[in-house]
Amino acid sequence: MNGERRLKIRFFMSLTLISICSVLVLATALFFWFRGKTVDYVNKANDSVLLNTETVFAKYMESVQNYTLAFYRHPNINSVMQSGDSSWSDQLFSALSQIKGTLTVNPYLENAYIMGKDGPVMMFENSPLSEASKRELFERVRDGLIKESPFVWNATLNNGAPVTVMMTYYNDKVYADSEYTGAIAIMTNLGKLQENIFTNVAGGDTRYAVLSSEGGVLMQSNPFGAEYEDELLQRIVRGSRPSGTLIWKTDDGRKELITYRLSPGQNLWFLSETSYRNSVRDISNAMTLMIALCVGLAAVASGVAAFVSHRMYKPIGTLFGHIRSLSGERLSLTSAGGFEEANRELERIAGRFGELKRENEDSALLSWLTTPYRSGEELPSALPLLKNSSGHAAFFVAVLQLEAAYGDGGTSSDAADRLDGLKGLPRVIEGLFEGTCACRGFFPNPGTAVLIVSEAREGSFGDQGISRERWEQLEQSVRAWPGTRCHIAISRLSDDPSQLKAMYEEARDGMQYLKFQYGTPIVYAEEAALLSDEAMPDDALEKVLQVVRDQKHEMIPRAVERVLAEAGGYRAEKATVALSRLASDLSAIAESGVAGGHSRHADFLEHYQRIWSFSSYEELRAWFEQLCFRAYEMLKARNAVQTRDVAGEAIAYIRKHFADPTLSLNLLADKLAISPPYLSRLITESTGSSFPDFVNLVRLEHARELLVSELEMDIRAIAEKSGYGSSTYFTTLFKKRYGMTPTKWRLNHIVQHGE
């Protein structure tokens, strides 16, 4: 009972564990789903504020840029820039009053500078800069392009204090070689500007900030005393993502939810920081409910598991009792218990029953072959008596097997008819031999008959060629039965009754040759003795393997047919050994996809037993074809992967060497050691474009990048760097693909991006 109790406990523990784990998995999934939704909601809210802040900041910078452009284009101010003459006049006074009024109305605008050709001509400073800073500002404005405005600048005030400001200027320089004729520069006080920008977002537990491209804090919604950690800021500005969210743990152990985004127009980072605990505070309320729900569900699951395990064990316990009764090894089952022991015991019992059945059949057959008619007589009971003669009659043994026609299982009534016909075979044979023989039969199982055919009178067999005709007539007669096939193996002729058992074994072994002979239902021992006793050569097996390696799908059936035909010329044992080696090779290919170099014949014995158990040519051939097709499919799949690798290598080579004007399909095919047509097909399948189209696509994409990144480079140089020897041909292809010439593409980009 110890083993039974342990088995019942295992049932209970298994079901309980499965139930509890299911509940925990469900609760965990719900928790993370709810947390994700909550954090996503907070992120969307913060991102919306950041986007609004970015928009407001952009509008402020746009207004400053407009002031700068208006001052630059004012004729009187422009005259001062050109001449450097700041003498008093009514027109100049009016223009300068306009600049002064702009600085007064907009308190976040600190200073304004009119830059001449050699230095500042006039300036308006609410926060005066040092002379060195003014000179640095002039040089930066003089040498800078208009696309570099505005920029963040670390300057020094006249009193020596450092200050970070935003400088906006206009100097009419579009290209590096453009002429400098003067400029207007306006300085924005970021500390004052932040009061305007963050007026509507201040308060609450969320703070916002604007960072420079280097990670410096330019503006923030909270007082400057509450500093951001430098490690956090560097992680944001040095990261590869232009926007995102991260959870940051501060030095004092608090967790903060950080949302950030990069403004490409200003090259500034906008940042929000929210308490992570407050962001997910709704989760804490839900966690209590989830924990209570999990505990309740676990308790219910345990109760259900106990009930199910008890009800399930009732029939299983009865089954184990029956197994003990059959086994006789009660101690092993009682001490160990469990399904594994019971399953092993059932397999042992089933195997024993099979052995007993075969032993009973063999014992009955041997007893029939060797038991004399009467005590003291040497004549076996299986051998018919001579009718009108004395002495020993010649006899031979035939083993006949019936099976359902290949692919047709037949019906139960057909099987019963075949069994009745099988028992009537001795009379049929005597009729076919027209009274020249006597026949006795033994039927060890419903599909097998052992027939002993002897002379009715001494010398009555005469010409053995006639007896072969009789056996062919018998096979044709049996084949006419519904859904039936017939195989017959016949021993040699003998007149020694003591050889009866040996003649039976000779006929039984002859059945093995039928599986190698297509369309040969009868095997004679005399013919089997003439078969080769040499080992079957590997060349015959290699032909099948080669067809599989070459992936010639349509030739597999023919190759299998040929190797079986050649196997039919060898003794059964030799042919079975050779075919077992072939089956091992095919199985190895089907498992690993490697067409050589594997360990041969690891499962040789299993294949040998499988081939030896086949009873017909059709079964053996179908099995070998199945092995071949499995190996073929594995090689096909493996080659498909390798094909994709070749296509990838070709595409990578094109992207790396597209600028080479000598690049061609033939050159690339030679490097990859494949034919040009095959390479062209691989590239088309992988990219959707032909080889020339794909090369042009890569070249034009590179040229398009050069047009906007290398503004000083002319069209001819770009064409050469992209792999085109002719700028005219390049321009034609570019216009065909993008709808405009390279020059117009560059101008449009400059206008759209202010370059």
Side-chain angles (χ1 to χ4, degrees):
M1 296 299 293
N2 187 31
E4 297 175 7
R5 188 178 299 108
R6 275 209 299 270
L7 181 60
K8 186 175 182 179
I9 292 174
R10 288 175 186 173
F11 278 144
F12 171 71
M13 295 300 296
S14 299
L15 293 174
T16 302
L17 184 62
I18 292 173
S19 302
I20 293 178
C21 288
S22 300
V23 171
L24 291 178
V25 169
L26 176 62
T28 303
L30 290 174
F31 173 79
F32 281 102
W33 176 82
F34 185 70
R35 186 185 70 171
K37 287 294 184 182
T38 303
V39 172
D40 186 57
Y41 173 77
V42 174
N43 287 339
K44 288 182 178 179
N46 290 337
D47 193 64
S48 176
V49 174
L50 293 181
L51 182 60
N52 182 64
T53 304
E54 177 185 349
T55 303
V56 173
F57 180 82
K59 288 182 177 179
Y60 275 107
M61 290 298 99
E62 183 180 2
S63 66
V64 178
Q65 189 72 41
N66 291 336
Y67 287 138
T68 306
L69 181 60
F71 295 156
Y72 181 87
R73 292 179 175 175
H74 195 287
N76 295 324
I77 297 176
N78 193 271
S79 176
V80 172
M81 284 190 297
Q82 298 291 333
S83 62
D85 183 12
S86 58
S87 301
W88 186 91
S89 66
D90 291 339
Q91 293 82 0
L92 180 61
F93 179 77
S94 175
L96 298 180
S97 298
Q98 183 177 354
I99 297 177
K100 187 68 175 179
T102 300
L103 298 181
T104 303
V105 173
N106 301 280
Y108 56 88
L109 299 180
E110 288 282 356
N111 303 341
Y113 300 90
I114 301 175
M115 303 291 187
K117 293 185 178 181
D118 301 319
V121 178
M122 299 187 69
M123 62 192 74
F124 300 87
E125 295 183 299
N126 294 326
S127 297
L129 298 179
S130 65
E131 292 300 323
S133 294
K134 293 175 184 177
R135 188 64 191 175
E136 179 185 352
L137 175 62
F138 167 72
E139 293 174 353
R140 186 160 183 174
V141 171
R142 179 194 64 192
D143 299 333
L145 305 179
I146 57 174
K147 67 179 181 180
E148 298 173 359
S149 173
F151 63 90
V152 178
W153 182 41
N154 295 319
T156 304
L157 297 178
N158 202 22
N159 59 7
V163 61
T164 301
V165 297
M166 180 79 73
M167 294 301 305
T168 304
Y169 67 90
Y170 192 88
N171 62 2
D172 206 17
K173 286 187 64 176
V174 177
Y175 303 107
D177 55 355
S178 298
E179 182 182 1
Y180 171 76
T181 58
I184 296 293
I186 298 179
M187 186 177 80
T188 303
N189 187 318
L190 296 177
K192 294 181 179 179
L193 181 60
Q194 79 177 9
E195 296 177 1
N196 292 359
I197 292 180
F198 294 119
T199 299
N200 297 327
V201 299
D205 60 352
T206 302
R207 59 175 179 164
Y208 303 88
V210 179
L211 311 178
S212 67
S213 59
E214 292 78 17
V217 179
L218 302 179
M219 296 179 286
Q220 57 183 355
S221 61
N222 56 302
F224 273 91
E227 299 294 339
Y228 291 89
E229 295 184 15
D230 185 64
E231 183 180 356
L232 168 64
L233 303 181
Q234 293 302 315
R235 179 174 176 181
I236 292 174
V237 299
R238 293 181 180 178
S240 58
R241 300 176 58 186
S243 64
T245 301
L246 59 89
I247 298 175
W248 183 257
K249 190 173 183 179
T250 61
D251 294 337
D252 56 2
R254 294 181 295 104
K255 286 185 177 181
E256 302 293 335
L257 183 65
I258 308 297
T259 304
Y260 59 90
R261 63 182 290 116
L262 173 66
S263 175
Q266 292 84 26
N267 197 23
L268 301 176
W269 292 88
F270 292 82
L271 168 73
S272 72
E273 182 184 54
T274 306
S275 171
Y276 178 77
R277 180 179 180 85
N278 293 338
S279 301
V280 295
R281 59 182 176 272
D282 294 337
I283 296 180
S284 60
N285 299 327
M287 282 184 63
T288 304
L289 178 61
M290 285 186 181
I291 292 173
L293 180 62
C294 287
V295 172
L297 290 177
V300 173
S302 299
V304 172
F307 174 75
V308 172
S309 62
H310 176 72
R311 294 297 299 270
M312 184 183 294
Y313 182 73
K314 279 187 175 181
I316 295 178
T318 303
L319 176 62
F320 270 60
H322 294 325
I323 294 174
R324 289 195 191 91
S325 300
L326 292 172
S327 171
E329 298 183 5
R330 298 177 59 88
L331 292 179
S332 63
L333 282 173
T334 303
S335 60
F339 285 115
E340 293 181 0
E341 292 81 358
N343 184 59
R344 284 197 297 268
E345 190 60 29
L346 286 174
E347 290 179 353
R348 191 186 70 81
I349 293 171
R352 182 57 181 161
F353 276 131
E355 293 175 1
L356 289 175
K357 181 180 179 182
R358 288 190 294 272
E359 289 174 3
N360 288 337
E361 292 175 353
D362 293 342
S363 298
L365 178 58
L366 290 175
S367 176
W368 180 71
L369 290 172
T370 58
T371 301
Y373 280 111
R374 291 179 294 277
S375 178
E377 295 183 356
E378 295 182 1
L379 188 65
S381 61
L383 197 61
L385 292 172
L386 292 174
K387 294 183 178 180
N388 298 310
S389 180
S390 61
H392 293 163
F395 68 92
F396 51 81
V397 180
V399 175
L400 185 145
Q401 287 186 347
L402 297 183
E403 62 180 20
Y406 192 69
D408 181 12
T411 64
S412 58
S413 61
D414 291 338
D417 293 340
R418 286 196 294 267
L419 180 59
D420 292 340
L422 196 66
K423 293 183 177 180
L425 283 179
R427 307 288 76 82
V428 174
I429 292 173
E430 290 178 352
L432 289 173
F433 278 80
E434 299 177 349
T436 62
C437 75
C439 182
R440 290 175 61 84
F442 185 81
F443 312 98
N445 56 65
T448 304
V450 179
L451 304 170
I452 313 298
V453 182
S454 66
E455 295 177 316
R457 293 171 299 277
E458 192 172 357
S460 63
F461 272 168
D463 186 3
Q464 286 299 305
I466 299 176
S467 66
R468 293 197 175 202
E469 295 177 2
R470 309 300 188 215
W471 286 111
E472 292 172 0
Q473 292 175 9
L474 175 65
E475 187 273 330
Q476 294 174 4
S477 175
V478 175
R479 195 196 313 165
W481 297 354
T484 303
R485 293 173 62 92
C486 173
H487 300 299
I488 306 174
I490 304 169
S491 73
R492 290 169 294 178
L493 192 65
S494 175
D495 59 359
D496 184 0
S498 64
Q499 294 295 314
L500 181 59
K501 182 174 177 295
M503 293 297 102
Y504 158 71
E505 292 174 350
E506 186 177 67
R508 181 196 60 190
D509 294 342
M511 297 297 294
Q512 290 296 331
Y513 296 101
L514 292 169
K515 72 185 68 174
F516 306 118
Q517 305 288 339
Y518 175 71
T520 305
I522 305 175
V523 173
Y524 299 95
E526 294 89 345
E527 296 176 353
L530 300 177
L531 297 175
S532 175
D533 199 30
E534 300 291 331
M536 190 173 170
D538 288 340
D539 292 345
L541 311 179
E542 185 63 26
K543 293 177 182 178
V544 177
L545 294 174
Q546 192 61 44
V547 168
V548 174
R549 294 190 192 106
D550 295 341
Q551 299 186 58
K552 297 179 179 179
H553 181 277
E554 68 284 353
M555 295 182 62
I556 288 177
R558 181 60 178 165
V560 172
E561 179 182 341
R562 288 178 178 175
V563 76
L564 292 183
E566 186 159 353
Y570 293 84
R571 299 291 296 271
E573 296 82 359
K574 302 296 183 180
T576 304
V577 168
L579 294 179
S580 299
R581 297 203 314 269
L582 176 59
S584 297
D585 289 339
L586 291 172
S587 297
I589 295 175
E591 292 175 3
S592 64
V594 179
H598 54 275
S599 178
R600 290 173 57 114
H601 320 319
D603 50 0
F604 172 83
L605 182 59
E606 178 183 349
H607 291 308
Y608 185 93
Q609 294 173 342
R610 182 72 177 273
I611 294 173
W612 195 261
S613 66
F614 286 128
S615 60
S616 69
Y617 176 88
E618 288 78 7
E619 286 181 315
L620 181 61
R621 177 175 177 175
W623 182 66
F624 262 107
E625 288 183 358
Q626 182 183 11
L627 289 178
C628 291
F629 285 127
R630 282 178 52 205
Y632 162 81
E633 293 295 338
M634 175 58 75
L635 289 177
K636 181 180 178 182
R638 187 179 182 87
N639 289 341
V641 174
Q642 294 175 348
T643 295
R644 289 193 294 271
D645 291 341
V646 171
E649 292 179 14
I651 293 172
Y653 186 89
I654 293 172
R655 291 191 180 280
K656 185 176 181 181
H657 300 87
F658 66 88
D660 184 1
T662 64
L663 178 62
S664 65
L665 181 63
N666 291 335
L667 174 65
L668 183 54
D670 289 341
K671 288 185 177 293
L672 298 177
I674 59 176
S675 66
Y678 182 54
L679 176 60
S680 177
R681 180 168 63 85
L682 293 181
I683 293 176
T684 302
E685 291 175 354
S686 299
T687 65
S689 302
S690 64
F691 174 82
D693 290 343
F694 182 70
V695 172
N696 283 326
L697 173 63
V698 175
R699 287 174 172 174
L700 292 177
E701 287 178 349
H702 178 71
R704 189 177 61 178
E705 294 177 1
L706 292 178
L707 285 171
V708 299
S709 62
E710 302 292 340
L711 298 176
E712 296 80 7
M713 186 179 297
D714 61 21
I715 302 302
R716 182 183 299 276
I718 291 177
E720 292 178 355
K721 285 184 174 292
S722 301
Y724 293 104
S726 168
S727 60
T728 303
Y729 180 61
F730 162 67
T731 301
T732 302
L733 291 178
F734 192 95
K735 183 176 181 180
K736 182 178 179 181
R737 178 163 187 83
Y738 298 112
M740 61 183 70
T741 64
T743 303
K744 188 173 182 181
W745 176 278
R746 171 181 279 175
L747 292 176
N748 284 347
H749 180 82
I750 293 174
V751 172
Q752 292 176 5
H753 296 82
E755 298 180 353

